[in-house]
């Protein structure tokens, strides 16, 4: 029996190789995984042309996944530097990579990325449209927008961020709302501008069936973008954001009718006490489709440290049911992230994702922490490094300040609580004298 997409296969009772691999990674039953894919609660983004992919599942009951943004721009066109980031991101176990390239040899970079990456690849085709077509935004036609989408699909991209929910009605709401930061989504702002300049409807909303046909044919997942995501805590949970989410819910159901996999993108900047409600609202309005968030950043006053503000929000979002976290680096709002910025962002976001998994009782999440606790209780330093999310930094810290006694650290020395409890419980003398 043939199938078009992972959702189509699941609905026909076909267990694909991708499903088997995801079930193995997640320690879940393949039958329950297949049921969630059929219902749209879980996705496996995997373009048929991305042959190097090691597929990941995103959705209900699975580990919270982490995405890394990178790509070339007019000010930073070093393809090799971005490929170094790709390799580091894969080594640091990022499950997704979004290529946000918007200038220069974007197709060349995208082709290399898809060829080398075992992680799922996402793009925002409208970023590429102006440079690819070498035309002013106002002069790009609907067919030309779709030509760029078709190129990204043919290149093997697994999920496409398309801001189809920012239609004319939603755009009118943006103009009514007293937003401090208006539209901060790059893709959303480009579409908003195109609509205003041409007095026209969003082409991806108006011609949504055309988009679905392409996605169905190549098993490309739609990541329905949040053009109205809040760019400040002031703008969170306003009418424009909710209006767009309602539209995304309608578009989700239309995609499912064509067996096209969908995830929903969410905020953004948001006060800590609003995050859980936003996750629940998005899940409700979008019928339980997987939810993909940027942060959320819980304060606006920490530039240079936004990997921390985002990790705080990301942990709460993941614990409340978000399925996919887009990393944020210390360079957010300031510059293109360096390799070191990227590493800091990945670790911070992986911490947030894992904290959320513990809260959600994802299989094997707590077991990892319990194994680390056992290694600490045993003062087993090699095992602690082996289990560490990032083994390199703790090893460097340990080596940089060696203690007099191997069963201690240089902070506590012989007063180490773990060392002394182990000795007392074993009936040994403490001998705390220097």
């Amino acid at each position: 029996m043939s199938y078009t997409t992972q959702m189509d296969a699941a609905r026909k009772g076909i267990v694909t190789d991708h499903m088997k691999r995801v079930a193995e990674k997640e320690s879940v039953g393949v039958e329950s995984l297949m049921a969630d894919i059929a219902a749209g609660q879980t996705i496996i983004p995997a373009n048929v042309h991305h042959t190097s992919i090691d597929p990941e599942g995103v959705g209900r009951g699975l580990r919270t996944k982490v995405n890394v943004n990178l790509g070339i721009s007019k000010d930073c066109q070093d393809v090799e530097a971005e490929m170094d980031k790709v390799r580091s991101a894969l080594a640091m176990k990022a499950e997704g990579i979004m290529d946000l390239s918007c200038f220069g040899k974007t197709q060349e970079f995208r082709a290399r990325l898809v060829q080398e990456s075992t992680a799922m690849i996402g793009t925002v085709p409208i970023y590429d449209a102006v440079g690819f077509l070498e035309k002013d935004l106002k002069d790009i036609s609907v067919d030309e927008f779709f030509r760029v989408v078709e190129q990204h699909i043919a290149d093997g991209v697994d999920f496409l961020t398309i801001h189809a929910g920012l239609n004319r009605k939603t755009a009118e709401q943006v103009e009514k709302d007293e937003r401090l930061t208006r539209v901060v989504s790059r893709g959303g702002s480009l579409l908003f501008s195109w609509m205003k300049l041409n007095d026209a409807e969003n082409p991806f909303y108006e011609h949504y069936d055309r988009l679905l046909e392409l996605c169905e044919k190549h098993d490309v997942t739609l990541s329905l973008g949040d053009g109205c995501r809040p760019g400040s805590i002031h703008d969170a949970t306003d009418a424009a954001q909710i209006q767009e989410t309602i539209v995304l819910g309608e578009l989700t159901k239309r995609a499912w009718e064509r067996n096209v996999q969908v995830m929903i993108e969410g905020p953004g900047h948001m006060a800590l006490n609003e995050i859980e409600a936003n996750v629940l609202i998005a899940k409700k309005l979008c019928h339980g489709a997987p939810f993909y968030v940027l942060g959320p950043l819980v304060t606006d006053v920490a530039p240079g440290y936004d990997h921390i503000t985002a990790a705080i929000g990301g942990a709460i979002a993941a614990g409340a049911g978000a399925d996919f976290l887009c990393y944020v680096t210390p360079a957010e709002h300031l510059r293109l992230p360096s390799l070191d910025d990227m590493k800091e962002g990945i670790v911070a976001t992986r911490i947030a994702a894992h904290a959320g998994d513990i809260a959600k009782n994802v299989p094997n999440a707590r077991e990892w922490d319990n194994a680390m606790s056992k290694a600490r209780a045993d003062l087993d330093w090699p095992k602690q490094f082996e289990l560490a999310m990032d083994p390199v930094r703790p090893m460097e810290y340990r080596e940089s300040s060696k203690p007099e006694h191997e069963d201690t650290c240089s902070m506590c020395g012989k007063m180490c609580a773990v060392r002394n409890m182990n000795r007392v419980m074993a009936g040994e003398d403490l001998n705390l004298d220097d």
Side-chain angles (χ1 to χ4, degrees), residues 23 27 34 44 52 164 182 234 248 250 255 280 316 347 372 416:
S27 300
M34 185 166 61
I44 301 178
S52 63
R182 296 189 181 275
H234 173 276
L248 297 183
E250 296 167 355
L280 297 177
I316 295 170
V347 173
M372 177 63 87
C416 171

Side-chain angles (χ1 to χ4, degrees), residues 152-165:
H152 282 227
I153 290 174
D155 289 341
V157 171
D158 304 297
F159 63 95
L160 298 174
T161 292
I162 305 288
H163 299 85

Side-chain angles (χ1 to χ4, degrees), residues 270-322:
M270 183 166 289
L272 194 125
N273 61 306
E274 296 181 41
I275 295 172
E276 182 176 2
N278 267 261
V279 174
L280 297 177
I281 288 170
K283 285 278 189 173
K284 180 71 173 179
L285 293 177
C286 297
H287 320 293
F291 195 39
Y292 173 28
V293 298
L294 176 69
L297 284 68
V298 296
T299 178
D300 300 329
V301 298
Y305 300 92
D306 277 331
H307 59 310
I308 298 173
T309 68
I312 294 168
I316 295 170

Side-chain angles (χ1 to χ4, degrees), residues 165-411:
L166 183 54
N167 59 12
R168 296 188 82 163
K169 182 178 180 181
T170 306
E172 289 172 4
Q173 190 62 57
V174 170
E175 295 184 84
K176 291 178 185 177
D177 289 349
E178 296 181 357
R179 286 190 151 203
L180 289 178
T181 50
R182 296 189 181 275
V183 177
V184 299
S185 159
R186 197 190 328 175
S189 67
L190 290 170
L191 278 171
F192 184 94
S193 300
W194 185 91
M195 292 159 65
K196 291 283 287 183
L197 291 169
N198 290 284
D199 190 24
E201 180 58 276
N202 181 334
F204 297 112
Y205 178 78
E206 186 174 7
H207 303 280
Y208 190 61
D209 286 333
R210 181 175 177 180
L211 182 63
L212 294 179
E213 183 177 353
L214 291 170
C215 291
E216 181 183 20
K217 182 177 180 181
H218 303 274
D219 197 2
V220 172
T221 297
L222 266 183
S223 188
L224 291 173
D226 52 338
C228 296
R229 75 168 181 263
S232 63
I233 61 172
H234 173 276
D235 297 345
T237 326
D238 66 356
Q241 182 194 338
I242 300 302
Q243 168 63 29
E244 183 180 32
T245 306
I246 292 171
V247 177
L248 297 183
E250 296 167 355
L251 297 176
T252 296
K253 293 183 78 172
R254 286 176 59 185
W256 288 348
E257 290 171 1
R258 296 290 298 267
N259 292 313
V260 172
Q261 300 183 102
V262 171
M263 63 180 162
I264 306 299
E265 297 190 11
H269 294 235
M270 183 166 289
L272 194 125
N273 61 306
E274 296 181 41
I275 295 172
E276 182 176 2
N278 267 261
V279 174
L280 297 177
I281 288 170
K283 285 278 189 173
K284 180 71 173 179
L285 293 177
C286 297
H287 320 293
F291 195 39
Y292 173 28
V293 298
L294 176 69
L297 284 68
V298 296
T299 178
D300 300 329
V301 298
Y305 300 92
D306 277 331
H307 59 310
I308 298 173
T309 68
I312 294 168
I316 295 170
D323 306 286
F324 200 10
L325 303 182
C326 185
Y327 90 151
V328 173
T329 77
E332 183 77 5
H333 306 116
L334 302 171
R335 70 175 189 196
L336 185 77
S338 68
L339 180 60
D340 286 340
D341 293 332
M342 184 196 76
K343 290 178 179 179
E344 291 290 320
I346 291 174
V347 173
T349 310
R350 285 193 64 203
I351 292 169
H354 181 61
D357 289 348
I358 293 171
K360 288 186 290 194
N361 290 314
V362 168
N364 298 325
R366 284 179 178 268
E367 283 75 4
W368 184 8
D369 290 72
N370 292 343
M372 177 63 87
S373 296
K374 178 66 166 59
R376 282 180 174 152
D378 293 341
L379 294 170
D380 186 342
W381 302 102
K383 188 65 176 179
Q384 291 179 54
F385 301 146
E386 177 188 330
L387 290 166
M389 189 173 288
D390 171 23
V392 175
R393 180 167 291 183
M395 290 176 66
E396 289 176 346
Y397 277 131
R398 177 76 176 170
E399 289 300 317
S400 70
S401 183
K402 296 289 285 186
E404 179 183 356
H405 300 281
E406 185 61 28
D407 61 349
T408 67
C409 76
S410 60
M411 179 175 181

Side-chain angles (χ1 to χ4, degrees), residues 49-55 113-119:
H49 305 299
H50 187 182
T51 56
S52 63
I53 193 170
D54 185 5
L113 174 61
V114 171
Q115 182 180 16
E116 292 192 30
S117 177
T118 53

Side-chain angles (χ1 to χ4, degrees), residues 66 68 85-95 339 342-348 350 389-390:
V66 170
V68 169
K85 291 181 189 176
V86 170
R87 297 179 191 107
S88 291
L90 295 174
M92 296 181 73
K93 301 181 181 179
E95 291 92 359
L339 180 60
M342 184 196 76
K343 290 178 179 179
E344 291 290 320
I346 291 174
V347 173
R350 285 193 64 203
M389 189 173 288
D390 171 23

Side-chain angles (χ1 to χ4, degrees), residues 30-76:
V30 72
E31 295 296 328
S32 64
L33 175 66
M34 185 166 61
D36 283 342
I37 294 171
Q41 315 297 293
T42 295
I43 57 175
I44 301 178
N47 186 324
V48 295
H49 305 299
H50 187 182
T51 56
S52 63
I53 193 170
D54 185 5
E56 296 284 354
V58 179
R60 185 163 61 186
L62 308 183
R63 288 178 298 106
T64 306
K65 303 307 186 295
V66 170
N67 176 74
V68 169
N69 290 341
L70 42 77
I72 54 176
S73 67
K74 188 172 183 178
D75 291 316
C76 299

